[in-house]
Amino acid sequence: MSNISQSKPLQISANTRIKVWYWLLLAVISFFVIRLFYLQVIRYDYYSTQAYDTQLKEYEISPDRGVIEIQNGDSTIPIVLNQTLFTLYADPVYVENPGDAATKITEIIGGQASEYESELRVENTRYVVLAKKLSHEQSQKLRGLELKGIGTRGVPYRTYPQGNLAAQLLGFVNDEGKGSYGIEQALNDELSGTPGMIKAITDARGVPLAGNDDNIAVDPVPGQRTVLSIDLGMQNKLEQILKNQVTAVKSQTGSALIMEARTGKIKAMASYPTYNPEEFYKVENADVFVNGSVSTALEIGSIMKPLTLAAALDQGVVNKNTSYYDPGFFRVGDATVRNVEEVAGSGTRSVGDILRLSLNTGATWLLMQMGGGEINEQARSSWYDYMVNHYGFGAATGIEQGFEASGYVPSPTEGFGLDIQFANTSFGQGMRATPLQMAAALAAVVNGGQYYQPQLIEGTYDDEGIYTDKAPHLVNQQVVSANASNDIRGLMADAFSANFRSYGLSNLPQGYTIGGKTGTAEVPNLDSGGYYDDRYNGTFMGYVGGDEAQYVIIAYTKEPTVDGYAGTKAAGPIFVQLASMLIDDFAVTPIQE
């Protein structure tokens, strides 16, 4: 009984296994049949496209960078354009004989065959660049070789029809296609445009086919066409005047700008030495890329005095006819504020003398009046408020330039030696500002009290060619009162009239108003502290117009070699030549009243 009962379950188990294997096999076959049907019928289009796409290689189409134009009378002309040059590239996977290909390439474009061959043998990459900036003729010859895995594509590069004109203001586009310095950096996103995509299908020999409309997957969008406020004639003459004077006084560098007093628009701006933006890669000293008017924050010297006087006039602590006793020096803490030798000594002075004789003691006395007769926290805080909140020092203006400096204004309540530090700031030492910041502040002081943000953009064109003007941006409507503005214009004009021959001007232009102030600032010794006793920077700041201030001009020279004061002998002649140029050639409105 036991043997029978044991054999029956074994027989059932064997039958079960056969059935299991049968159904399993049927399921596997069904799976493959269904899967095959799914892939070949239902998903045919998808996988067909995927297979096709693996035969395509995508390349970026560089967009044309936005054209830049400047003013030329009643019209505009291009100052930055684009030209198409060609990049030679390769897909090493397809290159069968790198040595032979390298030799043939060398015969057309020059260079070292061994270097090309090395690039053609690079593994684990499908794209190498062999050469850039090839001409159309070179590109055609290379394509004619029909080298397997090697092709060319057009790439836009910047070209400058006006040569070196406004080089630092414009900046350049580096080899990676990114704007560097100047307008090119500040507006890189707007000027860059949007790249397109091209699908370059290789033929049977692996030669990339030239791009055509059928191969474009996404059209590129060109960059924004931009019109600057710069005037071609003013810019040319400013650059020539600046170059001649910087060279004559052996200044290390120099810069100058012309700004419309009632709009903040820059009409001319330059630095010297300069460079060729089309050949930026040949420059050995990157300092020449810097726009000195925008990126150089310095202790600006006595050109601060008109702004100190304007603040005192605006507060009502003095008026244009105020006189005071000047002892010839002031003890401020442990330090002494003195004047230059020519005006040393005590005596009764007017507020006009502070500008006419460039009195450090006079500027210090103005600061005292802001504090009720002494330099104290009230005086420091009041003057700090004007420097920062009225004149905009210590913060970038936001002009369309790369690497704009903010400058520096000391705190009125924190630190050591605050009284002497603020006494120094009243005549332009112990603080730092850029020439552009000073020009914008002076424009506000002489135009009736309105601070306009400095700007270089006159307007832009959209994709459809519609022009949009960029209106002046009013930042502060009352930097100083209209009365204070009118008074400071007159006091600056008086100071210029008393000293114009010192700046190289033989006669004052009749029927126009010119006001100006020199600045000769000691150069800080950054290594040991204090100042050098034999190094000076020269600045000159002023305005030209008729009944109103029309243009503001500022000039800066770094450590010139002159017999006399740097502001008077080095920067002064730049100012008077620019003022004369504006009157003679650019329709400054004369006095009507």
Side-chain angles (χ1 to χ4, degrees):
M1 292 291 295
S2 61
N3 289 339
I4 294 173
S5 62
Q6 291 176 358
S7 63
K8 190 172 181 177
L10 291 174
Q11 187 176 359
I12 294 172
S13 178
N15 291 337
T16 300
R17 283 197 298 271
I18 292 172
K19 290 179 181 180
V20 170
W21 280 108
Y22 169 79
W23 289 109
L24 182 61
L25 180 60
L26 184 62
V28 171
I29 293 172
S30 298
F31 172 79
F32 281 109
V33 170
I34 294 171
R35 182 63 177 169
L36 197 59
F37 177 80
Y38 174 79
L39 296 177
Q40 294 188 349
V41 178
I42 297 177
R43 297 283 282 172
Y44 172 80
D45 290 339
Y46 171 78
Y47 285 105
S48 175
T49 302
Q50 288 290 93
Y52 179 68
D53 284 349
T54 60
Q55 302 172 39
L56 303 180
K57 288 183 288 185
E58 292 187 342
Y59 297 102
E60 185 178 272
I61 307 173
S62 299
D64 283 339
R65 196 169 174 90
V67 170
I68 301 176
E69 301 175 4
I70 59 174
Q71 310 296 314
N72 184 28
D74 295 331
S75 61
T76 63
I77 61 170
I79 193 170
V80 185
L81 291 169
N82 301 299
Q83 62 176 334
T84 299
L85 299 176
F86 293 84
T87 293
L88 176 63
Y89 65 93
D91 182 344
V93 170
Y94 283 106
V95 180
E96 294 180 345
N97 191 331
D100 180 62
T103 299
K104 292 179 178 179
I105 290 171
T106 304
E107 292 172 355
I108 295 175
I109 67 173
Q112 298 294 323
S114 59
E115 294 181 5
Y116 298 136
E117 182 178 354
S118 176
E119 292 293 332
L120 293 172
R121 294 186 183 278
V122 173
E123 298 180 354
N124 301 320
T125 185
R126 300 296 303 275
Y127 184 81
V128 294
V129 173
L130 303 176
K132 295 181 178 180
K133 297 186 178 181
L134 303 179
S135 68
H136 178 75
E137 181 182 3
Q138 289 173 316
S139 174
Q140 291 297 100
K141 288 181 179 179
L142 289 165
R143 288 184 178 183
L145 296 176
E146 296 187 345
L147 295 172
K148 189 174 181 179
I150 298 175
T152 64
R153 64 185 180 97
V155 177
Y157 286 91
R158 290 308 225 183
T159 184
Y160 301 84
Q162 304 301 322
N164 295 3
L165 191 73
Q168 288 100 346
L169 184 155
L170 295 171
F172 58 88
V173 179
N174 63 25
D175 287 339
E176 286 69 45
K178 185 176 182 181
S180 300
Y181 298 90
I183 285 283
E184 295 280 18
Q185 178 174 321
L187 299 184
N188 185 65
D189 292 342
E190 294 85 347
L191 293 170
S192 292
T194 304
M197 292 302 294
I198 189 170
K199 292 184 177 181
I201 308 172
T202 59
D203 61 19
R205 298 164 297 168
V207 178
L209 300 178
N212 54 51
D213 291 341
D214 294 333
N215 287 331
I216 295 177
V218 179
D219 288 314
V221 178
Q224 178 179 271
R225 178 182 167 193
T226 302
V227 180
L228 304 184
S229 57
I230 295 298
D231 182 278
L232 175 64
M234 288 190 199
Q235 185 72 25
N236 265 315
K237 292 190 175 183
L238 181 147
E239 291 196 14
Q240 190 59 55
I241 290 169
L242 180 65
K243 176 183 177 181
N244 291 344
Q245 183 65 7
V246 167
T247 302
V249 300
K250 299 178 182 179
S251 178
Q252 295 181 21
T253 62
S255 64
L257 69 85
I258 300 171
M259 172 190 288
E260 286 184 345
R262 290 190 171 273
T263 66
K265 293 181 180 180
I266 305 298
K267 304 304 293 182
M269 177 190 286
S271 296
Y272 189 82
T274 186
Y275 71 102
N276 181 355
E278 202 160 336
E279 297 180 339
F280 68 89
Y281 50 87
K282 294 183 179 180
V283 171
E284 296 181 358
N285 182 1
D287 289 345
V288 300
F289 295 146
V290 174
N291 183 344
S293 293
V294 173
S295 302
T296 302
L298 64 144
E299 298 191 17
I300 41 79
S302 291
I303 61 173
M304 177 65 90
K305 289 169 184 172
L307 303 185
T308 310
L309 179 52
L313 289 168
D314 188 53
Q315 293 174 64
V317 296
V318 300
N319 63 58
K320 65 179 181 179
N321 298 314
T322 297
S323 295
Y324 69 101
Y325 178 75
D326 193 322
F329 69 92
F330 282 113
R331 293 287 297 175
V332 182
D334 294 332
T336 302
V337 174
R338 299 183 183 277
N339 296 312
V340 296
E341 294 177 3
E342 286 81 351
V343 293
S346 60
T348 300
R349 307 291 189 187
S350 69
V351 293
D353 289 337
I354 297 173
L355 303 187
R356 184 175 62 84
L357 300 175
S358 196
L359 299 173
N360 294 342
T361 51
T364 303
W365 179 83
L366 290 172
L367 179 62
M368 291 177 178
Q369 306 320 296
M370 298 180 201
E374 61 180 350
I375 301 177
N376 50 28
E377 184 174 345
Q378 176 185 325
R380 298 193 305 268
S381 296
S382 177
W383 177 223
Y384 176 88
D385 176 59
Y386 272 83
M387 284 193 286
V388 173
N389 298 318
H390 292 240
Y391 300 149
F393 300 148
T397 68
I399 194 172
E400 306 92 342
Q401 289 284 278
F403 298 116
E404 183 184 5
S406 297
Y408 164 75
V409 177
S411 167
T413 57
E414 298 179 2
F416 298 97
L418 293 179
D419 289 345
I420 185 58
Q421 193 171 20
F422 268 74
N424 288 337
T425 64
S426 71
F427 49 86
Q429 300 271 184
M431 54 80 66
R432 294 188 298 276
T434 66
L436 177 69
Q437 288 173 320
M438 293 299 297
L442 181 64
V445 163
V446 299
N447 72 10
Q450 296 180 323
Y451 185 105
Y452 288 93
Q453 181 182 23
Q455 69 180 69
L456 280 162
I457 305 303
E458 186 75 25
T460 58
Y461 288 87
D462 65 15
D463 295 343
E464 298 180 356
I466 298 175
Y467 177 79
T468 300
D469 184 68
K470 181 178 180 180
H473 176 49
L474 181 60
V475 177
N476 188 337
Q477 195 161 357
Q478 192 170 352
V479 171
V480 296
S481 68
N483 287 336
S485 176
N486 186 64
D487 289 345
I488 201 67
R489 280 200 311 273
L491 291 167
M492 289 186 71
D494 291 343
F496 185 83
S497 297
N499 294 289
F500 69 91
R501 289 187 177 85
S502 300
Y503 317 135
L505 190 63
S506 58
N507 293 291
L508 281 173
Q510 297 302 303
Y512 300 92
T513 304
I514 303 176
K517 180 70 188 75
T518 61
T520 299
E522 295 176 303
V523 176
N525 186 331
L526 300 181
D527 294 327
S528 60
Y531 295 87
Y532 292 103
D533 57 9
D534 58 350
R535 299 185 191 181
Y536 301 90
N537 294 323
T539 52
F540 198 109
M541 182 174 75
Y543 71 90
V544 59
D547 296 316
E548 298 179 347
Q550 190 167 344
Y551 295 105
V552 164
I553 304 168
I554 186 166
Y556 159 64
T557 55
K558 181 180 180 181
E559 299 183 33
T561 302
V562 291
D563 183 15
Y565 295 106
T568 300
K569 299 298 184 181
I574 298 173
F575 175 87
V576 296
Q577 289 178 70
L578 291 176
S580 298
M581 175 265 289
L582 290 172
I583 291 171
D584 293 342
D585 302 329
F586 293 97
V588 174
T589 302
I591 297 171
Q592 302 296 316
E593 297 179 357

